Amino acid sequence: MSAGFNPALVPPGVSAPTDARTRTQPVRPNVQTPQGPAFSDVLKGVAGSQPVQFSKHAVQRLERRNLAVDSASMQRLQDGVDRAAGKGARDAVVLVDDTAFVVSVRNRTVITAVGKDQMTDHVFTNIDSAVIA
């Protein structure tokens, strides 16, 4: 061993060098790759497990403005909300064809809906994201 050897500086599991010019390879712990789904996949599963709901106000707006939401539009809306949730959005405008849905992403609830005819001078406030679905 060399004269300048300090055993306190040798990490556990690594043998002390026999010669100062000889380098020992550090011992790497046997780390196994975790099994199971990725965290992002779990998060998508949790977010996607709840269907999008419509507030009473949104239902009134849909009826008053003669806006129809068929199953294909509903699926696109659901996908748009899922994408917004995946990016960390809180409140978003989700555009599906000619309809804009203002959605509370955290609650997965449509707050209001605006058709193409009402979008002319409409300003969306209190949103942090926009999704084209």
Side-chain angles (χ1 to χ4, degrees), residues 65-67 98-100 113-122:
R65 295 172 177 160
N66 293 323
L67 300 173
D98 294 334
T99 306
V114 181
K116 179 176 74 170
D117 299 335
Q118 295 85 28
M119 280 193 238
T120 321
D121 295 323
H122 204 81

Side-chain angles (χ1 to χ4, degrees), residues 24-116:
T24 59
Q25 293 295 322
V27 175
R28 298 186 193 249
N30 186 10
V31 178
Q32 296 180 352
T33 305
Q35 301 298 317
F39 178 73
S40 60
D41 295 335
V42 172
L43 186 60
K44 287 177 188 175
V46 170
S49 63
Q50 297 177 351
V52 173
Q53 303 174 44
F54 288 82
S55 70
K56 185 177 180 180
H57 174 78
V59 171
Q60 290 172 347
R61 291 292 180 261
L62 287 169
E63 290 172 353
R64 184 177 307 146
R65 295 172 177 160
N66 293 323
L67 300 173
V69 181
D70 60 10
S71 61
S73 296
M74 189 64 193
Q75 183 60 51
R76 289 175 57 201
L77 174 61
Q78 180 91 22
D79 292 343
V81 173
D82 290 344
R83 289 179 18 220
K87 296 290 185 177
R90 291 175 294 203
D91 296 296
V93 171
V94 180
L95 300 169
V96 179
D97 296 328
D98 294 334
T99 306
F101 298 93
V102 178
V103 181
S104 170
V105 177
R106 290 180 178 173
N107 300 331
R108 303 188 64 78
T109 303
V110 175
I111 298 167
T112 193
V114 181
K116 179 176 74 170

